[in-house]
Amino acid sequence: MAGMYEVTGWGKESKEGKFKTLKFQRNLPGDNDVTFDIKYCGICHSDIHMANSEFGQSNYPCVPGHELAGVVTAVGRAVKKVSVGDHVGVGCIVDTCMSCSSCSEDAEHYCENEMTMAFDRKTKHGHIKTNAEYSFGGYSHSYTLNERYVAKIPKSYPLESAGPLFCSAITMYSPLAQWGAPKGGKHVGIVGIGGLGQMGVQLAKAMGNKVTAISTSPNKKTAALEIGADNFIV
């Protein structure tokens, strides 16, 4: 593992504390690593849950954030996926064992030795390191991780809008892809028109499908139709 560098982040030192500027350390990039400046990071409700230890398992200091978007500043000599200056994004997963059957099938979220999430999870696989025994998230100025967990973002896409693609969009894309929606021509029903549901409606429509939005609230009808739903059911 390479040396370390100091990072400025925004997090909490205790469950009862308030968000404040924090200093911590990440590893310098190794041969297969990418370091990027974080320009934007989305806010997901799970970030709030973890910062407040509402799941009862948070480590402190806690620096949340798992919808990262930024610009590459350094790459290891073996990196092929991206180059310095590229726009990139990172979601929930920042490390896994890379050797189990799930990882071998590009299903790292099912890693048999447990994936490491972007923040507040043990850095036990040895591919990333902090000055603690757990990860620090995207509410910080820089991140370093293996290129395997980095996605290249086209420079034509607005970087400020990219963060949610690595959480809610991935969450909705997965079932749509599993059931063949990317090929178009299907009739897709999206149940629940909140943050995830609205992303699902837009994705399903962009894939060329007929989309029905299903909600318990008639107040969601206007928004659902505006973002692409063909029908609305309460």
Side-chain angles (χ1 to χ4, degrees):
M1 179 66 73
M4 308 291 283
Y5 69 101
E6 188 174 75
V7 178
T8 300
W10 185 252
K12 295 177 66 174
E13 291 185 317
S14 67
K15 176 180 178 179
E16 296 78 17
K18 294 184 178 181
F19 274 88
K20 60 184 292 187
T21 300
L22 301 173
K23 300 286 187 179
F24 59 93
Q25 294 183 331
R26 300 195 194 279
N27 59 283
L28 291 166
D31 289 348
N32 299 294
D33 295 336
V34 175
T35 295
F36 66 100
D37 281 349
I38 301 169
K39 300 299 184 181
Y40 303 95
C41 186
I43 300 175
C44 177
H45 208 94
S46 60
D47 295 315
I48 300 170
H49 286 315
M50 291 297 291
N52 295 332
S53 196
E54 291 170 357
F55 296 141
Q57 56 185 10
S58 297
N59 296 291
Y60 292 97
C62 176
V63 177
H66 62 274
E67 299 179 1
L68 291 63
V71 180
V72 177
T73 56
V75 297
R77 60 184 179 180
V79 171
K80 299 179 180 179
K81 196 173 183 179
V82 296
S83 301
V84 172
D86 282 345
H87 290 185
V88 296
V90 172
C92 295
I93 305 173
V94 297
D95 200 11
T96 63
C97 74
M98 301 191 193
S99 59
C100 69
S101 60
S102 294
C103 288
S104 299
E105 296 172 358
D106 297 326
E108 290 90 348
H109 51 302
Y110 291 131
C111 177
E112 294 159 25
N113 295 296
E114 190 179 4
M115 68 177 183
T116 297
M117 295 183 67
F119 72 97
D120 203 35
R121 286 295 180 266
K122 291 182 179 180
T123 54
K124 64 180 184 178
H125 299 296
H127 306 120
I128 62 171
K129 185 179 180 180
T130 68
N131 57 307
E133 295 183 351
Y134 56 91
S135 53
F136 293 110
Y139 298 164
S140 56
H141 85 266
S142 179
Y143 213 107
T144 299
L145 72 169
N146 189 282
E147 68 171 329
R148 180 174 184 148
Y149 309 102
V150 175
K152 187 175 180 178
I153 300 172
K155 289 189 176 179
S156 59
Y157 192 87
L159 201 56
E160 65 271 19
S161 300
L165 298 179
F166 299 99
C167 183
S168 58
I170 290 175
T171 301
M172 296 305 299
Y173 180 85
S174 180
L176 288 168
Q178 181 176 347
W179 295 103
K183 296 179 181 179
K186 291 186 177 294
H187 190 168
V188 177
I190 303 292
V191 181
I193 311 301
L196 286 170
Q198 290 189 32
M199 187 69 77
V201 168
Q202 294 176 82
L203 286 173
K205 188 64 177 180
M207 293 169 179
N209 300 288
K210 182 178 180 180
V211 182
T212 295
I214 304 168
S215 177
T216 59
S217 173
N219 295 328
K220 298 289 183 72
K221 181 176 181 177
T222 299
L225 296 178
E226 286 178 349
I227 60 176
D230 299 288
N231 302 298
F232 183 85
I233 296 175
V234 177

